[in-house]
Amino acid sequence: MEEKKAKESKVNRIQSTALISGIMDRFYEDARKSKYVCWCVGACPYEILNGAGIARFQTENLASRISSRQEQVPYIEYAEAHGLGSEVCSYAKINIGQALMMVEGREEELIPERLRVKRPDMVIALNTCPTMIQWAKALVDIFHVPYYFIDAPFFHDEEKGWDRNIAYVKEQLLDGVTDEWIKSVDSLGYDGKAIIAERDALLAKYAG
Amino acid sequence: MTEARYQDILHQFEALAKDPLQTAKERGAALGKEVIGCAGMYFPEEILHAAGALPTVVLQQNYPISAANAHVQSFMCGYVRSLMDQAIEKKFSFMKALFIKDCCHEIRMIGDLVRFKQADKIRVEMSFFPVTIKKPESQKYIHEEILSLIRRTEELMGVTISREALASSIKVYNEARRRMMELYALRRNNPGIISAVDLSNIAVAGMCIPKEEHSAMVAELIEALREKDMEPIKGKTPVVVTGSLCEVCDRDLLSAIEKSGGVIVDDDLYVGARYYNTLVSETGDPAAALAEAYINRVGPCPTQHDPDNRLGDYIAGIVKNSGAKAVVTAVIKFCEAHYFSNLADQADLEKAGIPQLTVYLDHDASLKGQIETRVQSFLENL
């Protein structure tokens, strides 16, 4: 036993872990203080949100933050108790469990203060895997907030469909974001022009 | 028509459905047609039919998965593991090609693995259809994908698919759909007239034999059923079965419901009503009609996002239309899309006051006893 304790005390802790932890804490603290927050499922076009001055975080990141502290079990159990299958991606279960706790008024009772987040004012998802869309749909069902889903085709044969697929995503950013998503942002009192400028800069850089 | 003839038709369907790939292989050889496999849901088979091929839907194998275990994680659904297993075991070697429709991330990734790991190196074509189906950009993309599939099939088969040929194939497929919907209506109006297992065999047969042949057989069966003396069933609970995406619904589950005081009056199973219930327009541009049917298919799918329709509401409508009293949802283990959807569906059905039981089905696990116990207690407590 003594030997084991001595061994444990010699474990080298990576200093960057503590530094990153501090950065993440500040990041979520800023998001909590923000007037509006967007929950992003998957790799979303953050530049547009930044242009609008809307705080955002990735739901996967939120879940991994909880699980990195070994505090995931109550959230998973909460989601499963509401009928979410046990084999669903555990990040999704943690996040949906937290969302359910929030809307059911159990936040103060069940979620430690340092892990609390603001309810989403909108949800954006990108289907890097189709689970992302299903996960985001569940969040929209729970919070009843505006949403926008971006469909990104998977490239099996790049030579066969690259241009078409780039055009498809670009069209969604151009048409979809202006027509549907921007409306919901405008309704929150933001400057749509700034967002469009941000979007155009993004498209000029990456999509030509 | 005699009872013996009626039983004979059912036995024919049972034999055809026993080994769908073997059935397709034999039919293809007998008709001198190239067989093309389609994996994943809602593939527009009319295109392959119009090119002179025999499309066959690749379903899960009915024996344990073994070879695929070396390549695919055990926490993927039985359908994709089985797809891989069949590829490794050269079950697709008689096919001209295999089209895989990207309808979830598991089948998306298994498609590439099948392409690279199959021993007989048959051609594998991937096809992507958007998850969000109601946005104008998505609709344009779906139309383009249909055109891309036409081009690829032409190149594969060395033929030109004329507008007339495609329109004609749509009519053939619509006829098969109408016949099946007629059979479904007959069951709805006469609960118990045909068992759910028999109907499942008929649905499977229609996925591996030519649609022309299937329509004729179903028409004959309907005629036999109309002549059958049928006593109204009393004391049984009418049930709707839903789910089992991509796969044939476990026959043990269907039997358990009908042996435990229930009678299945309608379904929303993929290998069932869902495969047959969407007609394609027979007027106008046939490629556009296929795209339009895909976008506006009957019944929202858990693998897609349709902001205008909720699956739970759709199932509640089936319950109302069929006079059912309960819903049994078959969820294939590790089918994430259905897991998420079922979370909302359960809430919607609860709101509508419809009792629901979710049963998880696993490819290699023998769950017969467990399923029977759960179904019995569910029906007894209604």
Side-chain angles (χ1 to χ4, degrees):
Chain A
M1 185 64 92
E2 288 301 314
E3 194 183 330
K4 194 182 170 193
K5 269 188 183 171
K7 227 178 206 178
E8 280 174 358
S9 69
K10 285 179 187 169
V11 170
N12 284 328
R13 299 284 176 200
I14 300 171
Q15 288 182 1
S16 59
T17 304
L19 294 171
I20 287 172
S21 182
I23 291 169
M24 295 310 294
D25 287 346
R26 283 198 298 281
F27 174 80
Y28 280 100
E29 185 57 32
D30 287 347
R32 256 200 303 271
K33 286 177 188 164
S34 174
K35 190 174 179 189
Y36 300 114
V37 67
C38 174
W39 287 26
C40 299
V41 189
C44 301
Y46 305 125
E47 293 83 348
I48 296 169
L49 293 162
N50 290 349
I54 296 173
R56 47 83 191 169
F57 54 77
Q58 250 183 293
T59 50
E60 306 93 292
N61 185 281
L62 180 60
S64 63
R65 186 167 177 248
I66 291 170
S67 56
S68 70
R69 292 164 191 257
Q70 306 291 314
E71 293 180 33
Q72 70 277 21
V73 174
Y75 304 93
I76 290 174
E77 286 180 347
Y78 207 83
E80 288 182 1
H82 280 71
L84 193 57
S86 58
E87 283 89 10
V88 166
C89 157
S90 58
Y91 278 0
K93 274 192 295 185
I94 293 169
N95 184 239
I96 289 170
Q98 181 167 12
L100 288 165
M101 288 174 183
M102 288 165 77
V103 294
E104 291 179 1
R106 310 278 310 269
E107 197 173 9
E108 289 196 4
E109 174 194 353
L110 299 172
I111 305 175
E113 194 172 355
R114 68 182 186 288
L115 294 177
R116 284 181 209 157
V117 289
K118 207 170 166 296
R119 285 187 186 207
D121 296 292
M122 68 185 78
V123 172
I124 299 183
L126 179 132
N127 69 333
T128 36
C129 76
T131 294
M132 299 299 186
I133 300 283
Q134 312 300 337
W135 176 349
K137 273 168 73 173
L139 291 176
V140 171
D141 254 8
I142 291 167
F143 290 114
H144 303 289
V145 289
Y147 64 90
Y148 191 75
F149 298 159
I150 300 165
D151 225 337
F154 189 78
F155 289 80
H156 292 283
D157 301 287
E158 291 185 9
E159 72 280 8
K160 284 184 187 168
W162 179 270
D163 291 341
R164 182 159 72 100
N165 292 333
I166 291 286
Y168 175 48
V169 176
K170 184 177 173 179
E171 278 173 19
Q172 290 177 78
L173 290 175
L174 281 169
D175 301 334
V177 173
T178 47
D179 292 348
E180 194 177 329
W181 183 79
I182 296 288
K183 269 184 206 166
S184 66
V185 175
D186 278 348
S187 72
L188 298 172
Y190 277 94
D191 180 3
K193 281 182 185 171
I195 299 164
I196 290 166
E198 193 79 21
R199 178 206 66 192
D200 288 346
L202 178 74
L203 290 173
K205 188 173 178 186
Y206 294 106
Chain B
M1 188 170 296
T2 62
E3 175 70 18
R5 179 63 189 136
Y6 161 74
Q7 290 297 340
D8 181 45
I9 301 170
L10 288 183
H11 286 142
Q12 281 181 44
F13 278 121
E14 189 182 357
L16 291 169
K18 194 173 179 185
D19 186 347
L21 282 187
Q22 184 62 25
T23 300
K25 183 180 177 180
E26 288 169 6
R27 280 298 188 281
L31 296 166
K33 283 178 179 283
E34 298 281 9
V35 179
I36 300 179
C38 315
M41 297 186 290
Y42 321 124
F43 187 86
E45 293 169 47
E46 290 90 334
I47 295 169
L48 309 179
H49 183 271
L54 171 61
T56 185
V57 178
V58 178
L59 299 165
Q60 85 272 30
Q61 65 205 43
N62 53 10
Y63 49 89
I65 293 162
S66 55
N69 291 335
H71 303 276
V72 188
Q73 297 89 336
S74 58
F75 52 80
M76 292 180 86
C77 81
Y79 180 70
V80 297
R81 285 191 297 123
S82 173
L83 196 62
M84 189 66 204
D85 205 69
Q86 293 176 81
I88 296 169
E89 298 288 355
K90 299 187 183 179
K91 300 288 184 189
F92 305 143
S93 56
F94 68 96
M95 292 177 184
K96 176 82 172 169
L98 174 66
F99 278 84
I100 299 181
K101 186 179 157 288
D102 178 340
C103 56
C104 74
H105 64 298
E106 292 186 4
I107 200 164
R108 167 186 293 179
M109 303 316 295
I110 208 72
D112 285 334
L113 204 54
V114 164
R115 177 186 282 172
F116 297 122
K117 292 287 182 186
Q118 55 168 332
D120 40 10
K121 302 292 175 199
I122 68 152
R123 182 165 162 175
V124 175
E125 285 286 330
M126 297 299 298
S127 171
F128 173 82
F129 281 77
V131 176
T132 56
I133 53 171
K134 290 289 171 74
K135 289 193 285 193
E137 309 87 79
S138 312
Q139 297 182 358
K140 184 178 156 208
Y141 193 95
I142 289 166
H143 191 191
E144 285 173 358
E145 192 65 14
I146 296 283
L147 296 175
S148 160
L149 286 172
I150 292 173
R151 282 194 297 275
R152 283 191 267 167
T153 306
E154 286 179 331
E155 187 259 318
L156 174 74
M157 295 292 288
V159 297
T160 300
I161 300 173
S162 69
R163 190 183 162 111
E164 292 72 28
L166 191 54
S168 170
S169 296
I170 287 173
K171 281 184 183 165
V172 167
Y173 270 70
N174 275 349
E175 176 61 14
R177 292 172 182 128
R178 287 193 191 96
R179 288 293 179 198
M180 282 299 280
M181 286 302 98
E182 198 180 340
L183 185 57
Y184 266 81
L186 199 61
R187 178 176 71 165
R188 239 184 344 263
N189 298 327
N190 305 275
I193 194 167
I194 185 167
S195 79
V197 171
D198 284 333
L199 195 46
S200 174
N201 286 333
I202 296 165
V204 171
M207 293 168 141
C208 60
I209 65 171
K211 288 288 186 287
E212 298 89 335
E213 183 185 350
H214 190 252
S215 295
M217 286 179 71
V218 174
E220 198 179 352
L221 178 70
I222 290 170
E223 193 189 327
L225 285 171
R226 290 199 195 284
E227 289 174 12
K228 198 178 169 193
D229 290 329
M230 184 68 202
E231 292 275 321
I233 286 186
K234 286 179 185 167
K236 294 232 177 193
T237 306
V239 175
V240 165
V241 187
T242 72
S244 196
L245 302 183
C246 297
E247 290 200 1
V248 183
C249 186
D250 191 331
R251 271 67 185 270
D252 287 340
L253 171 62
L254 301 176
S255 298
I257 293 168
E258 298 205 316
K259 283 179 186 166
S260 308
V263 58
I264 297 171
V265 288
D266 211 340
D267 72 54
D268 183 38
L269 299 169
Y270 175 63
V271 183
R274 190 168 270 274
Y275 178 79
Y276 293 99
N277 65 6
T278 301
L279 292 175
V280 180
S281 170
E282 294 179 16
T283 57
D285 172 35
L290 287 174
E292 195 271 337
Y294 184 86
I295 294 158
N296 295 313
R297 73 168 15 269
V298 177
C301 179
T303 63
Q304 297 167 343
H305 171 60
D306 177 352
D308 305 328
N309 299 294
R310 292 178 71 86
L311 180 57
D313 294 341
Y314 173 68
I315 296 168
I318 296 174
V319 169
K320 193 178 170 192
N321 189 38
S322 62
K325 301 286 179 218
V327 170
V328 175
T329 305
V331 178
I332 303 299
K333 276 199 130 190
F334 306 110
C335 176
E336 280 215 335
H338 201 187
Y339 280 177
F340 279 110
S341 172
N342 198 37
L343 182 70
D345 305 340
Q346 285 172 322
D348 290 345
L349 290 171
E350 193 179 337
K351 255 185 240 167
I354 300 167
Q356 187 258 12
L357 171 72
T358 298
V359 178
Y360 293 97
L361 301 172
D362 197 354
H363 186 93
D364 289 335
S366 176
L367 302 171
K368 193 177 175 188
Q370 190 192 96
I371 288 171
E372 281 176 0
T373 307
R374 292 197 62 205
V375 167
Q376 278 167 11
S377 64
F378 173 65
L379 292 174
E380 280 170 14
N381 282 298
L382 287 175

